[in-house]
Amino acid sequence: GAHQYTDSNVEAAETIRLSSITSALLPRDFDLAFRVMGDFRLSPAPLYSQAARGLARRMNLSSLTELLRNIGFTIGDEERDEVVAEAITVYNEIHKDKAVARILIKHLTLPRNQLKALVQSGYMSEAADIAFGPHGTIEGVQLVLNSTRNRPQSWKNTTIIKNCEAYLVTHSASR
């Protein structure tokens, strides 16, 4: 049958095009892009993530840092951390650049997201510090333990493994 171009199809296509343009505009003129998002009721978090991924792929750390600074309080902590996590993943998986990933981890707000990113980046002792800290959870310690055990032999840290096991024994019993 013939394709039907309804108003909603056209509107959806326009929204996709506008979202793409706005995402590309974000690193160049944040204020204008932010006004466009408001005027057209575009959800900011997915556009921030798209912009952050693009900047990370191009290894444009200064513009990425500026974007992260600009988004500040325009979205909630969890959404903001998802934007940062997108960039961390690009640096870890595409560029294999753990040093930049470590810099970006400092932009994460919530301790559980810092922990996950540290584990993903291979910084097990720093992840363990968070897991055992005031914001630590049994799930966080379990993640550090399993990830440390699964690392290649040269990266294993028996101290972290023993500390995690001891923590789980004492804290699981008190549940």
Side-chain angles (χ1 to χ4, degrees):
H3 288 289
Q4 294 256 319
Y5 291 104
T6 62
D7 288 346
S8 63
N9 291 107
V10 171
E11 201 172 294
E14 286 174 359
T15 301
I16 291 169
R17 194 165 39 253
L18 189 58
S19 294
S20 182
I21 292 165
T22 306
S23 174
L25 182 61
L26 273 165
R28 291 170 184 81
D29 190 339
F30 184 86
D31 294 336
L32 177 59
F34 193 74
R35 282 200 307 274
V36 169
M37 285 187 280
D39 290 348
F40 291 93
R41 293 184 178 85
L42 301 173
S43 181
L47 300 180
Y48 294 158
S49 289
Q50 193 177 342
R53 264 194 314 274
L55 291 169
R57 281 201 185 98
R58 292 190 298 282
M59 299 181 83
N60 190 338
L61 185 59
S62 60
S63 293
L64 178 57
T65 304
E66 178 73 9
L67 175 69
L68 296 177
R69 196 177 59 70
N70 281 330
I71 68 176
F73 300 104
T74 64
I75 54 176
D77 288 348
E78 191 62 56
E79 287 178 312
R80 188 179 185 287
D81 279 4
E82 287 173 23
V83 172
V84 178
E86 291 279 349
I88 292 170
T89 299
V90 170
Y91 274 97
N92 275 330
E93 294 178 6
I94 296 173
H95 303 309
K96 310 288 185 221
D97 191 336
K98 305 289 187 202
V100 173
R102 181 182 226 150
I103 292 167
L104 293 172
I105 289 168
K106 292 176 174 64
H107 289 274
L108 292 167
T109 308
L110 303 172
R112 72 171 178 279
N113 295 331
Q114 293 169 346
L115 182 130
K116 285 181 202 165
L118 287 164
V119 166
Q120 178 194 12
S121 303
Y123 295 112
M124 304 315 287
S125 60
E126 290 169 49
D129 290 343
I130 292 174
F132 297 136
H135 300 287
T137 62
I138 289 176
E139 293 76 20
V141 174
Q142 194 69 55
L143 175 66
V144 172
L145 175 61
N146 294 340
S147 301
T148 305
R149 280 184 178 149
N150 292 334
R151 298 191 76 64
Q153 196 62 38
S154 61
W155 291 97
K156 279 197 180 172
N157 186 327
T158 54
T159 307
I160 291 175
I161 292 172
K162 285 178 183 159
N163 289 343
C164 287
E165 288 170 343
Y167 179 96
L168 291 171
V169 166
T170 57
H171 288 76
S172 297
S174 65
R175 271 193 159 176

